[in-house]
């Protein structure tokens, strides 16, 4: 489980670095599919991971800034780093005994929903990879090579915590 | 690990069903990013999973048809089903003792490369989710709602083998 989170963190960091060489106009240009914009997609990935892990599973009182409050590459990098500091210890402490633990979520319709923590963890993993796939298409649309999505070859597997 | 494979199999099946309501012209129209075409992307997902798991990790002598040999939605469904029958037992028998086992791969340049089996498993998982993210953009381009990418809510977590 940890290794797929590490992969996502590494890929996200590379996309944020990639953003530094792209104009703000391109990062905020409306595009087809997904969230519809490059920079808000990266913000959304961070916010969703932080919301589910720290707010949802851990049940902590957290504050998630609006996109407008962190609407630059540097600010989203700082937002991502700050969330990472808060949530990484939980990810590294994860163990199989937490798989079936139940967490309660409030849906957009205001209803309570129960989820197994293992289900939420995998949801967060798949969520980021899916949105990164969308960024790869948009990247080609603006004539840029996307960040590699390969898991193999980026040293995650033998990474030291 | 198994649950992320089950998620991918379920999502892939839904995309293949989705393809049945889209014209072959759209499925084979060149698009920006990724593999560049909808149907060949689904073929590629199946071929890569089968190649890495049965050919790579298991080291079996396998034959992967070319795209031209299975170039219809029905044939790719059958190809996916046939691969699933062959590889699912290995996925369900997966256990942590296999994580660090080494498998040898031949790169496109003809060089031998060693990978931990756990690394290959995660590579295959991330590979499919990434390409499905690209399909979601192309789906919106042709005015169609994409298959849901949510892990939560599709019953994978409490699925019975």
């Amino acid at each position: 489980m940890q290794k797929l989170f590490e992969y996502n963190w590494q890929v996200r960091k590379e996309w944020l670095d990639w953003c530094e060489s792209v104009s703000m106009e391109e990062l905020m240009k409306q595009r087809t599919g997904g969230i519809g914009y490059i920079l808000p997609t990266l913000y959304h990935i961070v916010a969703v991971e932080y919301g589910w892990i720290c707010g949802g599973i851990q049940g902590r009182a957290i504050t998630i800034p609006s996109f407008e409050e962190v609407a630059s590459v540097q600010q989203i990098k700082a937002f991502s780093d700050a969330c990472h500091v808060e949530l990484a210890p939980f990810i590294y402490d994860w163990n199989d005994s937490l798989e079936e633990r139940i967490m309660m979520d409030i849906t957009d319709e205001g209803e309570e929903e129960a989820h197994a923590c293992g289900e939420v963890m995998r949801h967060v993993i798949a969520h980021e990879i899916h949105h990164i796939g969308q960024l790869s298409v948009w990247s080609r649309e603006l004539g840029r090579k996307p960040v590699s999505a390969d898991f193999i070859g980026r040293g995650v597997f033998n990474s030291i915590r």
Side-chain angles (χ1 to χ4, degrees), chain A residues 6 19 34 94 127 133 138 158:
Chain A
E6 286 176 350
C19 284
W94 177 263
H127 180 263
W138 296 339
N158 298 310

Side-chain angles (χ1 to χ4, degrees), chain A residues 15 18 134-146:
Chain A
W15 274 103
W18 175 98
Q134 298 170 336
L135 291 188
S136 76
V137 170
W138 296 339
S139 165
R140 290 290 185 195
E141 280 174 7
L142 55 91
R144 294 288 305 272
K145 191 181 170 192

Side-chain angles (χ1 to χ4, degrees), chain A residues 37-52:
Chain A
Y37 305 84
I38 293 173
L39 198 56
T41 297
L42 287 159
Y43 159 82
H44 174 70
I45 286 169
V46 177
V48 164
E49 181 181 82
Y50 182 54
W52 275 112

Side-chain angles (χ1 to χ4, degrees), chain A residues 74-138:
Chain A
Q74 285 314 314
Q75 283 174 293
I76 290 173
K77 277 187 172 190
F79 174 45
S80 181
D81 289 346
C83 291
H84 183 263
V85 167
E86 284 195 53
L87 67 83
F90 178 81
I91 304 300
Y92 285 116
D93 285 341
W94 177 263
N95 63 74
D96 289 352
S97 75
L98 301 171
E99 286 279 4
E100 304 286 343
R101 182 188 284 184
I102 297 299
M103 58 84 67
M104 298 306 295
D105 176 44
I106 309 289
T107 66
D108 293 342
E109 292 75 35
E111 285 167 22
E112 272 209 327
E113 253 183 16
H115 304 292
C117 290
E119 185 170 27
V120 172
M121 293 284 277
R122 289 170 183 79
H123 180 78
V124 169
I125 289 168
H127 180 263
E128 175 155 348
I129 304 173
H130 183 78
H131 280 299
I132 293 290
Q134 298 170 336
L135 291 188
S136 76
V137 170
W138 296 339

